[in-house]
């Protein structure tokens, strides 16, 4: 067993610390698993985050509802760090869960031009900052099949806009209509996609 494996076993595969205020201030709590509702832990909200191990999905509402954000290993001192460049401002999170199937080296997803995994398809095994530049003929992706790994799809090119976290171990990897991408999904507009790194 190498040193990295020993360290991972000692700390666990997932570890996240959350703070009630920006810039790692105020009440804090460390988790090694999901939190369905931070309000039940006597927090008012989550305003800053450090992900020490693993990858998490953060949500604006309890019970993994609302706008979703990918939280990879690193520091998130303010909301801009997790929300990136989107038009929808989410200044806090209220729930989060680990993404267990994120295997960067073995990730494959199939995009379909119609609902219910029908029509022309396009297989993706790499990160694409612009699907149209890589040959996808539309700004829309009506359905998706995650064959392996975990992905984050974005509304606009350049990994911008709403984020949709797509996982092989949820829904059997099948997202048959845009409203299955997430509870906040209002359209099937997806123009960039990337693998989630563990």
């Amino acid at each position: 067993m190498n040193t990295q494996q020993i360290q991972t076993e000692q700390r666990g595969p997932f570890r996240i610390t959350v703070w009630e205020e920006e810039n790692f201030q105020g009440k804090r709590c460390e988790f090694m698993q999901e939190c369905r509702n931070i309000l039940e832990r006597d927090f008012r909200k989550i305003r800053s985050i450090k992900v020490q191990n693993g990858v998490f999905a953060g949500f604006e509402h309890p019970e993994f509802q609302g706008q979703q954000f990918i939280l990879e290993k690193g520091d998130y001192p303010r909301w801009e760090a997790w929300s990136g460049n989107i038009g929808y401002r989410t200044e806090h999170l209220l729930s989060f869960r680990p993404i267990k199937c994120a295997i960067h080296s073995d990730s494959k997803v199939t995009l379909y031009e119609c609902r219910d995994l029908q029509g022309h398809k396009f297989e993706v095994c790499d990160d694409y900052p612009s699907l149209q530049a890589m040959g996808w003929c539309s700004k829309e992706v009506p359905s998706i099949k995650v064959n392996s790994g975990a992905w984050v799809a974005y509304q606009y090119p350049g990994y911008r806009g709403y984020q949709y976290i797509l996982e092989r171990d949820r829904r059997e990897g099948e997202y048959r209509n845009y409203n299955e991408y997430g509870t906040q999904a209002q359209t099937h507009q997806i123009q960039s996609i990337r693998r989630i790194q563990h």
Side-chain angles (χ1 to χ4, degrees):
M1 192 177 303
N2 68 32
T3 305
Q4 186 177 5
Q5 287 173 319
I6 292 169
Q7 288 174 343
T8 299
E9 282 186 14
Q10 289 172 346
R11 293 188 309 235
F14 300 98
R15 193 169 98 201
I16 186 171
T17 305
V18 300
W19 282 263
E20 196 170 48
E21 300 300 332
E22 292 180 347
N23 300 311
F24 315 112
Q25 301 294 312
K27 190 183 295 185
R28 79 178 256 264
C29 192
E30 184 175 291
F31 294 85
M32 295 167 105
Q33 58 189 7
E34 70 181 29
C35 176
R36 300 182 79 79
N37 187 350
I38 198 69
L39 301 172
E40 293 174 354
R41 299 287 188 130
D42 291 328
F43 271 66
R44 290 176 294 136
K45 58 195 156 204
I46 298 169
R47 304 267 327 256
S48 53
I49 300 165
K50 284 189 182 193
V51 177
Q52 292 92 348
N53 280 341
V55 181
F56 288 81
F59 298 84
E60 78 175 313
H61 299 300
E63 302 296 327
F64 317 127
Q65 300 294 306
Q67 180 62 33
Q68 50 189 293
F69 301 95
I70 188 71
L71 301 169
E72 293 168 306
K73 187 174 181 178
D75 295 354
Y76 301 85
R78 295 180 38 126
W79 67 273
E80 294 97 340
W82 68 67
S83 65
N85 188 8
I86 66 169
Y88 186 76
R89 183 176 170 142
T90 302
E91 294 187 12
H92 64 268
L93 301 177
L94 295 177
S95 59
F96 55 86
R97 62 174 174 75
I99 298 175
K100 297 180 179 175
C101 64
I103 305 167
H104 189 264
S105 61
D106 180 31
S107 295
K108 188 187 308 182
V109 67
T110 306
L111 313 177
Y112 292 86
E113 71 174 345
C114 300
R115 291 179 175 183
D116 294 319
L117 311 176
Q118 300 294 311
H120 175 74
K121 60 186 179 179
F122 185 67
E123 193 169 276
V124 176
C125 299
D126 206 352
D127 301 345
Y128 288 95
S130 173
L131 289 173
Q132 288 181 296
M134 301 312 288
W136 187 252
C137 298
S138 174
K139 292 180 180 180
E140 300 173 341
V141 180
S143 59
I144 297 174
K145 167 75 173 167
V146 178
N147 303 299
S148 59
W151 296 77
V152 58
Y154 296 84
Q155 182 181 14
Y156 301 119
Y159 312 121
R160 297 177 303 112
Y162 286 116
Q163 300 177 23
Y164 306 113
I165 298 168
L166 310 167
E167 301 163 81
R168 172 65 184 107
D169 63 358
R170 294 198 176 263
R171 313 182 79 78
E172 297 180 3
E174 295 183 356
Y175 298 82
R176 297 179 164 274
N177 193 3
Y178 74 88
N179 59 2
E180 295 178 352
Y181 299 161
T183 60
Q184 87 289 3
Q186 309 266 326
T187 175
H188 46 251
Q189 184 176 7
I190 291 177
Q191 297 184 62
S192 55
I193 192 167
R194 70 176 179 86
R195 297 163 291 176
I196 295 175
Q197 302 193 32
H198 186 40

